[in-house]
Amino acid sequence: MNHNLAGKVALVTGASSGIGAATALALSAGGARVAAGARRADRLKDLAGQARGELLPLDLDVTGRESVRAAVAATVDHFGRLDVLVNNAGVMLSGPIEGADTSEWVRMVETNLLGSMYAVHAALPHLLASKGTVVQVSSTSGRIASAGGGVYAATKFGVNAFAESLRQEVTTRGVRVVVVEPGFVATELIGHITDPARRAVAREMGEAMRTLRPEDIAAAVVYAVGQPPHVAVNELLIRPTDQTV
């Protein structure tokens, strides 16, 4: 148990699989009480059964402002406070800009960028009261854009920009802002890609390297959140050793 996490309350978005599920379990193992939100709420019941401590499953769609507000309210109503927000919900619908299905662009912007912004807005009064921590799960694509990933990168660049503005606004009031930028992680994200060529490229990349596991990123989140209050780990860039860009 991490003594700096004991008794803390964390809300994790996109917790039904991948990094979100691993982070919810890791925070619980560290001594935190966890609210886990996702659209696939049925999966969260299984997650609650795996958690070491209490895990509250929440039906959450981050693209809906009311859904986000309700999840934050339910967390505070149940646990009495909120100390950590982990903005992890995201989709990666890579593909070329030419001929793109722009509805996929809307989905990425609404989920990856606006969704995390809505969650910060709803959680911030509680985090200011607890001098808590915001964790924004971004990506190496928030630093380096590449062909075929323009809109996904745009959302992650946006996540980074929003996080830095937030940090400047709240850090002197005791709220820490952490940006975690994973490289290639073995998750369901690749399966979301509808463009067959991009999906094939992503699978080939994953098969050509020792990819990160969701638990690797979860451990980084626990490390950052578990620091003493005067220490702010503002940015963590984590790539597989085999990944060059």
Side-chain angles (χ1 to χ4, degrees):
M1 179 182 288
N2 184 319
H3 292 296
N4 288 328
L5 290 180
K8 300 289 189 186
V9 174
L11 170 60
V12 181
T13 73
S16 61
S17 66
I19 293 170
T23 299
L25 292 176
L27 288 168
S28 178
R33 295 172 292 166
V34 179
R39 288 175 304 153
R40 295 175 296 185
D42 54 315
R43 291 194 181 191
L44 298 176
K45 292 174 184 162
D46 293 335
L47 192 69
Q50 299 171 50
R52 185 172 299 179
E54 185 178 3
L55 188 146
L56 175 69
L58 294 173
D59 192 344
L60 170 62
D61 180 353
V62 298
T63 67
R65 281 172 284 183
E66 285 303 324
S67 180
V68 172
R69 281 196 284 261
V72 170
T75 301
V76 175
D77 287 346
H78 186 83
F79 291 115
R81 59 187 291 128
L82 179 60
D83 301 279
V84 179
L85 170 66
V86 180
N87 267 321
N88 166 75
V91 291
M92 182 176 68
L93 306 171
S94 301
I97 294 165
E98 182 184 12
D101 176 354
T102 54
S103 67
E104 293 189 344
W105 295 4
V106 172
R107 189 174 162 207
M108 280 189 281
V109 170
E110 287 185 339
T111 305
N112 302 356
L113 183 54
L114 276 174
S116 69
M117 293 162 72
Y118 293 154
V120 166
H121 185 262
L124 198 53
H126 306 289
L127 295 172
L128 284 164
S130 64
K131 297 191 185 303
T133 305
V134 176
V135 179
Q136 300 280 70
V137 179
S138 182
S139 169
T140 51
S141 294
R143 286 172 168 245
I144 304 167
S146 57
V151 180
Y152 180 73
T155 65
K156 294 301 188 177
F157 269 74
V159 165
N160 288 13
F162 182 78
E164 175 57 17
S165 292
L166 176 67
R167 186 193 69 78
Q168 291 182 26
E169 290 184 19
V170 300
T171 191
T172 58
R173 299 166 72 186
V175 174
R176 301 178 299 181
V177 179
V178 181
V179 177
V180 181
E181 298 159 308
F184 207 108
V185 186
T187 70
E188 295 180 357
L189 278 185
I190 293 171
H192 297 162
I193 301 171
T194 56
D195 181 84
R198 287 298 302 175
R199 190 165 61 242
V201 166
R203 291 200 187 283
E204 286 167 18
M205 282 178 62
E207 290 164 4
M209 71 175 82
R210 295 167 294 170
T211 58
L212 298 171
R213 302 182 309 278
E215 292 75 17
D216 298 325
I217 307 306
V221 172
V222 169
Y223 161 76
V225 173
Q227 293 303 300
H230 71 287
V231 178
V233 179
N234 294 132
E235 193 170 22
L236 285 161
L237 173 63
I238 308 165
R239 290 187 183 98
T241 304
D242 301 336
Q243 183 175 334
T244 54
V245 293

